[in-house]
C-alpha cells in the first residue's frame, strides 16, 4: 500500500517512514526537502498519485497567530484537494489534545481550523490528538525561561514518547478510517512544574522552576486539566523516567556541575560510545558507521555517501537531514532515504540502543573518532 507521510523528515514523520517501510508499505516521505510543499502545492499531485493513505504530521515553522493559521488552513486545503483528485481513501492528521477547549490560543485555533477542514471534506479521515512529546519538554523549559527562572503553570500534563506517537499513528493509518477523533497520551500524568524540575535536575541544570498560574501556554491560560486526555484515551507504553534515563544529556550552555568519576566507568566495547560525548546536532564517526544525535535521539547510518563515497561525518546536519560535503546529496538519517540527488541509493541504517551514558550500534564497528 502506498502511504504518503507529509512532514516525513521530522521527528514523528521519520519514525513513521521507518515503521511503515519495515512493514512492507511503499512510503513517500514528503517534505520541502524532498521537493513537496503543502503550502505552495509544489510536488503534491505527483506525491499523492496512487496513494491509499496520506498522513499529515507537519507543523508550522512559525507560531505567530496569523502565520500559523495560514499554514494549517492552506496546507490542509491543498492536501485535501490533491487527495480528492488522486482518489486517496484515508486522510490521517496528527493534532493536539486540548485543541477544542483552548481557542484563546492562536496555535490551537489554527489546529481547530485544520480539524474542521478535514471533517468537512469528502475524504474518510482519522484525527489523532496527542499530548506533548517527551522530546520537547526541554524546549518548553527553554521557551519559559526568563533570566535564571523557568515559569510554568502548576497544571497536569501527560506527555508521551515520540516512539509511542508514531506507533499509534501507524496503526490507525493502516486500519479503517475512524471518521472521528482519538486521543493519545503517556501512561502517567505529572504536574507541569514538577516535570520541568525533574528534567532540569536530570541534566544538572540549576535554573529555578517557579509555578505561576497566570503564565500563558501557547498564548492562553490553563486550568488543571487543559492538557490531559480524557478517560477513553489510548495510552503509550514508555514511561517518562525510563525514557529520561536512556536519553538524558547535559543541556548545552546551562549551568551544570561536572560529572564525577568518568574515567572510572566500564571500558567501551567496539560497538559502543558515550552519549555524553555526542551533543545534539553532532556526528560521531565509528569506523564505517556515522552516529547522529538529532531530535532527542540517536541513529546510525553507513559513514559514506552512496554517490561518490563522501564522508557524511564531515557534512552538515540540519534536523534529521545530513548533506554530503562533496556533491550536496541529502539523506534522512533516521530512514536513510535520499532527499536530494545526485545520490540515488539510500543509506544503510542501523539501530542504536542507549543504556545510561552508553550507546550501542547493532553492527560491529571499530573505535570511535569524533568528527569536527
Amino acid at each position: 500500500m502506498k502511504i504518503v507521510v507529509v512532514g516525513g523528515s521530522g521527528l514523528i514523520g521519520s519514525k513513521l517512514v521507518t515503521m511503515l517501510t519495515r512493514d512492507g508499505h511503499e512510503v513517500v516521505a514528503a517534505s520541502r526537502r524532498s521537493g513537496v510543499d503543502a503550502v505552495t502545492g509544489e510536488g503534491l499531485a505527483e506525491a499523492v498519485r496512487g496513494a491509499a493513505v496520506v498522513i499529515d504530521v507537519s507543523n508550522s515553522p512559525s507560531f505567530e497567530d496569523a502565520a500559523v493559521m495560514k499554514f494549517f488552513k492552506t496546507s490542509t486545503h491543498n492536501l485535501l484537494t490533491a487527495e480528492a483528485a488522486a482518489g486517496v481513501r484515508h486522510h490521517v492528521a496528527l493534532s493536539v489534545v486540548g485543541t477544542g477547549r483552548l481557542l484563546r490560543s492562536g496555535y490551537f485555533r489554527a489546529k481547530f481550523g485544520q480539524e474542521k477542514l478535514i471533517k468537512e471534506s469528502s475524504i474518510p479521515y482519522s484525527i489523532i490528538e496527542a499530548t506533548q512529546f517527551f522530546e520537547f519538554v526541554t524546549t518548553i523549559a527553554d521557551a519559559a525561561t526568563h533570566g535564571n527562572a523557568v515559569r510554568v503553570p502548576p497544571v497536569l500534563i501527560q506527555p508521551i514518547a515520540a516512539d509511542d506517537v508514531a506507533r499509534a499513528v501507524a496503526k490507525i493509518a493502516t486500519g479503517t478510517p475512524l471518521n472521528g477523533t482519538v486521543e493519545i497520551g503517556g501512561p502517567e500524568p505529572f504536574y507541569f512544574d514538577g516535570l520541568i524540575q525533574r528534567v532540569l535536575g536530570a541534566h544538572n541544570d540549576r535554573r529555578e522552576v517557579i509555578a505561576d498560574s497566570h503564565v500563558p501556554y501557547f498564548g492562553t491560560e490553563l486550568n488543571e486539566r487543559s492538557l490531559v486526555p480524557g478517560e477513553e484515551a489510548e495510552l503509550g507504553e514508555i514511561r517518562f523516567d525510563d525514557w529520561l534515563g536512556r536519553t538524558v544529556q547535559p543541556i548545552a550552555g546551562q549551568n551544570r556541575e561536572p560529572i564525577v568519576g568518568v574515567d572510572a566507568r566500564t571500558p567501551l566495547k567496539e560497538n559502543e560510545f558515550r552519549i555524553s560525548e555526542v551533543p545534539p546536532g553532532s556526528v560521531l564517526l565509528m569506523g564505517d558507521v556515522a552516529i547522529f544525535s538529532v531530535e532527542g535521539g540517536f541513529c546510525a547510518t553507513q559513514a559514506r555517501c552512496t554517490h561518490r563515497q563522501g564522508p557524511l561525518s564531515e557534512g552538515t546536519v540540519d534536523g534529521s537531514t545530513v548533506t554530503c560535503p562533496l556533491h550536496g546529496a541529502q539523506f534522512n538519517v533516521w530512514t536513510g532515504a535520499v532527499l536530494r540527488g545526485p545520490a540515488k541509493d539510500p543509506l544503510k541504517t542501523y539501530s542504536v540502543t542507549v543504556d545510561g551514558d552508553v550507546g550501542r550500534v547493532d553492527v560491529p564497528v571499530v573505535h570511535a573518532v569524533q568528527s569536527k
Side-chain angles (χ1 to χ4, degrees), residues 285-290 301-304 348 350 363-367:
L285 178 62
M286 297 179 66
D288 58 357
V289 173
T301 72
Q302 65 188 75
R304 292 190 172 274
K348 294 179 181 178
Y350 313 100
V363 294
V365 292
V366 299
H367 58 278

Side-chain angles (χ1 to χ4, degrees), residues 294-340:
V294 294
E295 298 180 332
F298 294 88
C299 56
T301 72
Q302 65 188 75
R304 292 190 172 274
C305 176
T306 57
H307 177 236
R308 292 291 178 85
Q309 300 299 301
L312 297 180
S313 60
E314 298 178 13
T316 57
V317 180
D318 179 12
S320 60
T321 299
V322 62
T323 302
C324 177
L326 290 188
H327 300 102
Q330 292 185 334
F331 303 88
N332 183 299
V333 297
W334 292 100
T335 66
V338 178
L339 302 180
R340 186 178 74 187

Side-chain angles (χ1 to χ4, degrees), residues 47-100:
V48 303
R49 185 178 297 118
V53 181
V54 172
I55 306 172
D56 184 8
V57 293
S58 62
N59 203 2
S60 174
S62 170
F63 285 4
E64 188 273 327
D65 286 3
V68 72
M69 180 66 78
K70 180 179 179 181
F71 174 87
F72 282 118
K73 283 201 168 183
T74 303
S75 62
T76 302
H77 171 78
N78 289 342
L79 279 172
L80 294 171
T81 300
E83 291 169 31
V88 172
R89 301 189 300 273
H90 191 183
H91 179 93
V92 181
L94 182 60
S95 192
V96 188
V97 164
T99 290

Side-chain angles (χ1 to χ4, degrees), residues 26-27 73 93 184 186-187 206 226 264 276 285 349 365:
E26 177 190 352
V27 183
K73 283 201 168 183
I184 60 174
R206 292 188 172 182
S226 294
S276 58
L285 178 62
T349 59
V365 292

Side-chain angles (χ1 to χ4, degrees), residues 102 104-105 140-146 149-155 192-193 196 208-224 226-227:
L102 295 172
R104 294 184 64 183
S105 160
I140 294 172
D142 291 343
T145 297
H146 302 277
V150 183
R151 294 180 177 272
V152 291
V155 300
F192 206 168
D193 51 324
I196 297 293
E208 179 186 8
V209 179
I210 299 175
D212 186 340
S213 300
H214 300 295
V215 170
Y217 178 79
F218 283 93
T220 186
E221 290 191 10
L222 306 174
N223 62 43
E224 186 176 61
S226 294
L227 301 179

Side-chain angles (χ1 to χ4, degrees), residues 11 59-61 82 117 133 160 201 239 286 350:
L11 174 62
N59 203 2
S60 174
L117 286 173
F133 308 156
I160 183 172
R239 302 182 73 84
M286 297 179 66
Y350 313 100

